[in-house]
Amino acid sequence: MATTASLSPEVLAKYEPVIGLEVHVQLLTNTKAFCGCSNQFGAPPNTHVCPVCLGLPGALPVLNERAVEFATLAALAINCEVRERSIFARKNYFYPDLPKGYQISQFDKPLAKNGWIEVPTPEGTKRIGITRLHMEEDAGKSIHDGFADSATRTYVDLNRCGTPLIEIVSEPDIRTPEEAYEYLTRLKEILLYTAVSDCNMEEGSLRCDANVSVRPRGQEKFGTKAEVKNVNSFRFIRSALEYEIERQIEVIESGGRVIQETRLWNAHEGRTYSMRSKEQAHDYRYFPEPDLPPLIVTAERRAEIAKQMPELPEARRARMVAEYEISEQDAQTLTATQAFADQFEAAAKAAKSPKRVANLVQSELTSRLKLKGLELEESPITMKGIAFAADLAEEGKLSSKQLKQLFDAAFENGEDFAIVYEREKPQQITDPAAIEKMIDEIIAANPKQVEQYRGGKKTVAAFFVGQVMKLSKGQANPALLNELVTKKLDS
C-alpha cells in the first residue's frame, strides 16, 4: 500500500483517531420502496422504471410494507429502539441520477435509534454505538466509463431509483481501522443472518462511507474530519483509514491544517485524494414528505416482526462453543455464513465427535479453499463428507497422512470425500504382528531415543510412532500403533 511520508511509531502514538461509519444497505424486497417496479439487479438499463420512480408529475409514492418489516427486523437485530412513529422527509439536491430532484428519506424522526454492536479488540470486547437507522430510497447510477464517448459523456441508469435502503450510522466510537473492519464484518453477518439484504458490495447492495479525524491523545474535542467515499470492500476501508490517519497526522505535524472535505479511495495507488471541499454543511432543505403519512410501527407489530428473528451470529457462536466443545476460533469460522453453520450443526449431530469435525474444517478444509480461491459454499467436500471423514479418523480407520491424501484427491477431482474414499479405499495395516515387526526395526535403529524414553522422557514415544508411520507409508492403524509402541518401549 502506498503511504504518506513514513511517520515514526512515537509520532503516531501522540494522536488518537476518531472514526464513524455510515452504511447504506439495499433491502432484499421484490419491488421498490414506493412503487411496484422490480427490485432485481442486472436488468438492461432503464427498464425497471415507472412514473413514480422517475418522479413524473402527479405520480404518488406508496410505501412498501415488506421494506418496513425488513428495516424493523434489522433495527432490532442491532439492538436499536424502534420508534412507534417516524416521519419520511424530502432531502433536496440536484444530480443527474436523481430525477425528482429530491430523495425520500428520514431526517429528525428516524425509524430507529440508540443501538449497538459488540466487536473484539486486543483489550477485550468493545461496544460500538449506533446513532440511528433510517429508511430511504436509492438514487440512480451515473456511469462514467465503458462507452466510446465516455471521455465527454456520462450515461445514467435509473433502474436503481427507488430501491429501498436503510442507512445505519455509527457513533464516533471507533478508534482504529481494525475496529472499523470488525464492526463492518459483524454488521454484515447480522444483516445476512436476518436475510434483509444480500450485502453484495460488488453490486452496491452494501456501501460504506467513513468519517475520520485525529486529535492529540487525551483531548476531548474532535479534530476536523474527512469523509472517505468510493470504497468497495472492508479490506480497502481498513487500508483507506490507515492511509488517511497517517495523512492527517502528517499534515498537523508539518504545521498545516486538516481541511474538511470528501475524499475518494484509489485502491490501485493505495491512497485517498480530494474529491470536493466540505467547509459548509450542505443545505438539503429537509421538510416532511407531503405525499406520505407518518410511519406507525406499533408495539404489537414490532413483537410480530421480532418473532422472525433468527439466532444471531454471536449467540450462535457462544452456544456452539458450549454445546460442541469447540474453540471460539472454530466457532468463528463455522458461523461465517448461516448456511454453513446449519450444515456444520447437522454434520456435528450426526458425527461421533463434533470437535473432530470442527478440527477437520479448520485444519484440512479452509487451507485448501484458500489455496484454490474458493468460498466455503464452493467446496467440493460437503459437511456430510467432512463428518464421514471425521468418523473414519475417530475409529482409527484412517491415519492423518491418508486423510490428507484423500482431501487432496477430492479437491483435485472436484469430488466429495465419500466418493474418493470408496474408490481409493486406503489399505490400513491392522495386523499387530506386522506393526510390531516395524516397531522392532525402528527401536533397533534408535538406541539413543530408547534410552531417553526409559530414562523418563515419555514424550519420545511420539518419535517412534512417527518413524513407524513413515516406514508403513502412513498405513499403520494409528490407535493400534500408539498402543504397541508404548507396550514395546515399556517392556
Side-chain angles (χ1 to χ4, degrees):
M1 184 187 76
T3 61
T4 58
S6 182
L7 298 172
S8 70
E10 291 76 24
V11 171
L12 291 171
K14 286 167 55 181
Y15 295 88
E16 178 182 57
V18 177
I19 301 165
L21 300 174
E22 299 171 4
V23 179
H24 288 84
V25 183
Q26 288 187 354
L27 300 176
L28 205 55
T29 55
N30 291 327
T31 55
K32 293 186 182 181
F34 301 110
C35 66
C37 288
S38 171
N39 189 32
Q40 300 305 305
F41 178 83
N46 301 307
T47 55
H48 289 174
V49 293
C50 74
V52 174
C53 49
L54 291 177
L56 299 184
L60 296 174
V62 177
L63 181 58
N64 184 329
E65 184 178 5
R66 188 70 163 159
V68 175
E69 184 180 303
F70 280 174
T72 304
L73 186 62
L76 294 172
I78 56 175
N79 307 295
C80 284
E81 303 166 16
V82 176
R83 289 173 178 267
E84 181 162 329
R85 185 176 189 270
S86 59
I87 303 293
F88 282 99
R90 289 189 180 181
K91 179 181 179 180
N92 295 275
Y93 64 96
F94 295 96
Y95 207 70
D97 57 21
L98 193 71
K100 294 197 294 280
Y102 63 86
Q103 178 185 24
I104 299 178
S105 182
Q106 292 184 317
F107 179 47
D108 57 337
K109 294 180 176 62
L111 175 68
K113 60 179 185 175
N114 300 336
W116 49 267
I117 291 175
E118 290 185 334
V119 302
T121 72
E123 292 75 38
T125 301
K126 177 176 178 178
R127 182 170 289 189
I128 307 295
I130 293 171
T131 310
R132 58 188 279 145
L133 178 152
H134 66 260
M135 298 182 68
E136 62 185 21
E137 62 177 339
D138 212 342
K141 184 177 181 181
S142 296
I143 305 167
H144 303 291
D145 50 35
F147 296 93
D149 54 354
S150 288
T152 56
R153 293 177 183 271
T154 291
Y155 288 76
V156 176
D157 179 5
L158 298 177
N159 279 347
R160 202 171 69 182
C161 268
T163 293
L165 292 178
I166 50 175
E167 182 175 353
I168 300 167
V169 181
S170 83
E171 292 285 332
D173 292 343
I174 300 167
R175 293 293 173 266
T176 68
E178 192 60 38
E179 282 181 16
Y181 179 88
E182 292 292 345
Y183 169 88
L184 291 169
T185 300
R186 295 245 162 351
L187 176 59
K188 181 180 177 182
E189 280 181 351
I190 291 167
L191 295 170
L192 287 172
Y193 266 65
T194 55
V196 302
S197 174
D198 62 17
C199 296
N200 188 323
M201 294 188 79
E202 288 74 26
E203 295 179 2
S205 301
L206 188 150
R207 308 193 289 275
C208 178
D209 299 335
N211 293 300
V212 56
S213 63
V214 298
R215 62 186 177 187
R217 206 165 284 278
Q219 177 180 296
E220 289 295 318
K221 184 182 176 184
F222 290 162
T224 303
K225 71 180 179 183
E227 180 186 36
V228 182
K229 298 176 78 74
N230 195 31
V231 190
N232 62 4
S233 81
F234 294 169
R235 184 167 56 87
F236 286 158
I237 287 168
R238 181 169 55 192
S239 297
L241 288 170
E242 288 169 354
Y243 176 91
E244 186 59 22
I245 288 164
E246 286 206 25
R247 185 193 70 82
Q248 292 187 21
I249 292 173
E250 186 187 356
V251 168
I252 296 167
E253 284 289 306
S254 62
R257 182 174 66 89
V258 175
I259 298 169
Q260 184 173 336
E261 61 183 341
T262 298
R263 298 178 69 86
L264 298 181
W265 168 248
N266 186 312
H268 298 296
E269 297 177 12
R271 70 181 186 90
T272 64
Y273 60 92
S274 183
M275 175 188 177
R276 59 174 178 261
S277 67
K278 211 171 182 181
E279 290 292 339
Q280 305 295 325
H282 197 296
D283 182 10
Y284 290 116
R285 295 177 292 118
Y286 281 101
F287 62 87
E289 168 57 70
D291 293 331
L292 287 169
L295 171 58
I296 307 297
V297 182
T298 63
E300 292 76 17
R301 184 66 181 127
R302 287 198 301 274
E304 285 174 17
I305 293 170
K307 288 176 185 175
Q308 302 173 30
M309 189 74 69
E311 184 180 27
L312 294 174
E314 285 302 325
R316 189 167 196 173
R317 281 192 270 273
R319 176 180 61 77
M320 285 168 60
V321 167
E323 195 169 324
Y324 302 115
E325 298 180 340
I326 60 177
S327 69
E328 289 187 11
Q329 184 181 355
D330 286 342
Q332 185 73 45
T333 300
L334 294 166
T335 54
T337 69
Q338 191 174 34
F340 193 73
D342 290 344
Q343 290 170 32
F344 165 75
E345 293 220 62
K349 285 179 170 66
K352 292 178 170 61
S353 168
K355 187 170 178 60
R356 192 179 283 275
V357 173
N359 287 343
L360 284 182
V361 170
Q362 288 283 60
S363 63
E364 302 298 339
L365 186 67
T366 53
S367 59
R368 288 174 174 80
L369 289 173
K370 189 175 180 182
L371 195 64
K372 294 273 188 180
L374 299 174
E375 298 297 326
L376 285 168
E377 56 270 19
E378 297 174 301
S379 170
I381 302 179
T382 63
M383 285 306 302
K384 190 174 179 181
I386 296 282
F388 179 62
D391 282 353
L392 290 171
E394 191 71 17
E395 293 164 9
K397 293 180 178 176
L398 283 179
S399 68
S400 59
K401 183 175 181 180
Q402 289 170 328
L403 201 63
K404 289 178 186 295
Q405 288 170 342
L406 291 172
F407 265 77
D408 286 339
F411 268 80
E412 180 128 3
N413 300 326
E415 296 173 324
D416 206 350
F417 187 89
I419 296 169
V420 176
Y421 175 79
E422 289 302 324
R423 184 177 64 243
E424 302 193 8
K425 230 165 207 175
Q427 294 303 307
Q428 210 173 54
I429 301 170
T430 56
D431 179 9
I435 294 176
E436 282 182 350
K437 185 179 177 184
M438 287 186 278
I439 294 171
D440 289 339
E441 186 180 331
I442 297 298
I443 286 176
N446 296 278
K448 185 179 175 185
Q449 283 79 4
V450 173
E451 188 180 332
Q452 287 175 335
Y453 179 88
R454 289 175 178 160
K457 194 174 180 183
K458 300 299 183 183
T459 53
V460 177
F463 165 78
F464 290 97
V465 170
Q467 291 300 305
V468 174
M469 195 58 83
K470 189 184 290 184
L471 185 62
S472 70
K473 296 182 180 176
Q475 292 182 323
N477 179 287
L480 183 58
L481 172 59
N482 276 280
E483 180 188 331
L484 292 174
V485 163
T486 304
K487 184 178 173 184
K488 284 276 185 183
L489 290 170
D490 286 339
S491 62

